[in-house]
Amino acid sequence: MVKLNLVKSSNDELVSKPLVAVFVGATSGIGAYTVRCLAKTHGKTGKGLRVYIVGRNAKAAESIIAECQKSCPAGQFLFQSANDLALMKEVDITCKQLIKTEEKEASAKGETPRIDILVMSHANFKPWDPRNETSEGLDTFMSLLFYSRARFTTNLLPLLLSSSLPAHVVSVFGPGRDASFFPDDLSLRDPKNYGFMSSGSHAAYLKTFFFEYLAAKYPGKLSLCHYFPGLVLHEGFDSGLNDPSFPWWFKASIKYLKPIMKLAPSTVPCEESGERTLFNASKRFPPKSVDGKANIAAAGAIGVAESSDGVLGGGSYRVNYNGEQVAIGKQYKKMREDGWAEKSVQHTLKCFEDIEATGHFSG
Ligand SMILES: NC(=O)c1ccc[n+]([C@@H]2O[C@H](COP(=O)([O-])OP(=O)(O)OC[C@H]3O[C@@H](n4cnc5c(N)ncnc54)[C@H](OP(=O)(O)O)[C@@H]3O)[C@@H](O)[C@H]2O)c1
């Protein structure tokens, strides 16, 4: 467990440099707590902050921005409106607008346009839903958890690679969800293969392999963390109680079990969750080093984490709510031998290529 005082001092160190951060899915929940934490940590003494909140809900974004502006008066907080981000074409439109705005904002200040931190937490939690295909041929749940986030990362690479921090990509979901795997059906098109567990599992496998691919491709430049936040019982759980689309059993378990769930060891209080999510941008998670030697001394007391492919400071991390590694399962050895790291990346790149060319993916 990385102690909270170390997490906080590392976050304090983070704002000792000017930062540009992008948050996708921060109009509620963990993303909102993380952006608030960044603003508060920067406060009045940080060295400069420009934050983009990307999302659909302008009203929620405005209210979060007003809070952030209060705790960080010199910071710049901008809302980038988006539509359904389960669609790659919407991700592309959003990224184009974001890049254009950052180029304008940076040039007005004589800075290099860049992104130092990209945090993605957009998702729809409806474990009772059947496979719900987007017009582009992807499952909505899997798209929000994986394809959309992979697409954001690749589209924003020109700005991420301009960071001198270097750049940190943080995807909030659940690396330890990887269990069942259907090699002949990566998109889980067969209803017999599809379920809440298998869709989360495939999203986790695909992300592990895609992040490893990017970390290896951009050594010294890009750190990628797939972060499991623990149980974070934020206001969204309470608003779910009034959502007519939520089944009675789910509402009942939230209502009656919440006091017990709060006591579980992996339950993380909301403000602490903001701190710990931001910590994924720390020196504990450096990009893969160019010479193969991690700079352990630079990380100090927080130490350097092991990447998902077993390298100290290897650039692509599966991070638990407590800052430790989510162990890589035994099945990975055989999966790697059978070429699933490469095949998963090819699947993802083909998906992007097909949607770009025809608007649809059927692989
Ligand atoms: N909270 C937990 O206890 C917990 C535990 C384990 C893992 N996680 C994972 O952590 C991540 C964040 O969870 P959270 O609890 O913070 O979620 P949340 O409060 O429900 O926030 C989800 C965000 O995603 C956005 N979103 C949903 N569908 C979208 C779409 N089609 N297009 C664009 N934006 C969309 C929402 O925007 P709108 O405001 O526009 O709806 C919202 O900002 C998720 O991946 C979740 O699986 C959470």
Side-chain angles (χ1 to χ4, degrees):
M1 162 81 111
V2 181
K3 291 203 174 121
L4 189 57
N5 64 329
L6 288 179
V7 167
K8 285 185 177 175
S9 53
S10 163
N11 290 343
D12 286 344
E13 195 192 326
L14 191 65
V15 299
S16 64
K17 272 186 174 183
L19 291 175
V20 178
V22 173
F23 289 82
V24 188
T27 49
S28 68
I30 295 163
Y33 278 99
T34 310
V35 77
R36 286 187 191 107
C37 170
L38 177 59
K40 202 171 146 201
T41 307
H42 184 284
K44 296 190 173 85
T45 54
K47 292 290 175 267
L49 182 62
R50 182 160 55 253
V51 167
Y52 296 91
I53 295 183
V54 179
R56 302 178 298 186
N57 189 338
K59 209 167 156 223
E62 271 166 31
S63 133
I64 293 162
I65 285 174
E67 276 179 65
C68 291
Q69 204 71 72
K70 224 172 165 181
S71 55
C72 177
Q76 200 184 356
F77 298 90
L78 303 140
F79 174 58
Q80 169 69 64
S81 161
N83 293 314
D84 181 1
L85 293 174
L87 294 170
M88 300 306 106
K89 71 165 188 264
E90 294 296 343
V91 175
D92 291 355
I93 292 168
T94 306
C95 288
K96 266 192 196 134
Q97 285 169 346
L98 189 64
I99 291 171
K100 213 167 142 189
T101 311
E102 170 55 14
E103 282 171 350
K104 197 173 125 224
E105 295 298 331
S107 105
K109 293 186 167 57
E111 297 171 6
T112 306
R114 70 192 191 282
I115 296 172
D116 301 303
I117 304 171
L118 168 63
V119 180
M120 295 170 286
S121 57
H122 50 309
N124 60 342
F125 182 73
K126 300 245 166 119
W128 44 84
D129 273 1
R131 189 175 191 280
N132 178 8
E133 190 161 295
T134 69
S135 56
E136 294 175 338
L138 297 172
D139 169 49
T140 302
F141 183 67
M142 284 174 70
S143 177
L144 289 169
L145 292 174
F146 173 64
Y147 299 98
S148 169
R149 300 182 188 193
R151 187 74 179 171
F152 262 105
T153 308
T154 49
N155 280 349
L156 296 176
L157 271 173
L159 293 188
L160 288 163
L161 297 176
S162 298
S163 167
S164 60
L165 192 58
H168 288 263
V169 172
V170 183
S171 177
V172 187
F173 170 47
R177 287 286 303 274
D178 49 359
S180 57
F181 184 65
F182 298 92
D184 299 329
D185 188 11
L186 289 186
S187 302
L188 297 177
R189 296 185 188 282
D190 184 340
K192 285 203 293 297
N193 298 339
Y194 188 85
F196 174 64
M197 295 312 285
S198 61
S199 53
S201 177
H202 273 220
Y205 279 120
L206 289 169
K207 200 180 303 185
T208 294
F209 293 133
F210 200 68
F211 276 10
E212 284 178 8
Y213 156 76
L214 290 177
K217 197 165 175 191
Y218 302 104
K221 289 281 182 193
L222 197 61
S223 158
L224 306 107
C225 288
H226 181 185
Y227 177 58
F228 171 64
L231 183 60
V232 185
L233 293 163
H234 54 72
E235 301 79 1
F237 283 83
D238 299 322
S239 51
L241 294 176
N242 302 319
D243 188 329
S245 72
F246 280 38
W248 68 268
W249 55 265
F250 181 77
K251 292 182 190 179
S253 34
I254 291 295
K255 196 167 169 189
Y256 296 111
L257 295 179
K258 202 172 161 188
I260 301 165
M261 289 195 280
K262 273 189 177 165
L263 304 173
S266 60
T267 295
V268 180
C270 295
E271 275 82 17
E272 181 174 338
S273 173
E275 297 275 5
R276 289 193 175 276
T277 307
L278 189 59
F279 181 64
N280 285 276
S282 72
K283 287 180 176 159
R284 183 168 171 77
F285 308 105
K288 195 182 187 82
S289 67
V290 180
D291 62 5
K293 285 186 212 136
N295 188 350
I296 297 166
I302 56 173
V304 170
E306 189 179 295
S307 61
S308 52
D309 48 1
V311 179
L312 201 65
S316 163
Y317 306 92
R318 294 155 47 98
V319 186
N320 218 342
Y321 67 94
N322 55 11
E324 300 293 348
Q325 187 193 33
V326 172
I328 194 94
K330 285 188 189 125
Q331 72 277 26
Y332 275 86
K333 187 169 181 288
K334 175 92 173 73
M335 287 177 86
R336 290 186 200 283
E337 282 165 9
D338 292 345
W340 280 106
E342 296 78 12
K343 283 186 245 181
S344 300
V345 171
Q346 278 159 17
H347 161 91
T348 306
L349 297 178
K350 177 86 170 96
C351 158
F352 293 164
E353 206 182 291
D354 286 4
I355 292 176
E356 232 178 292
T358 68
H360 198 267
F361 178 61
S362 52

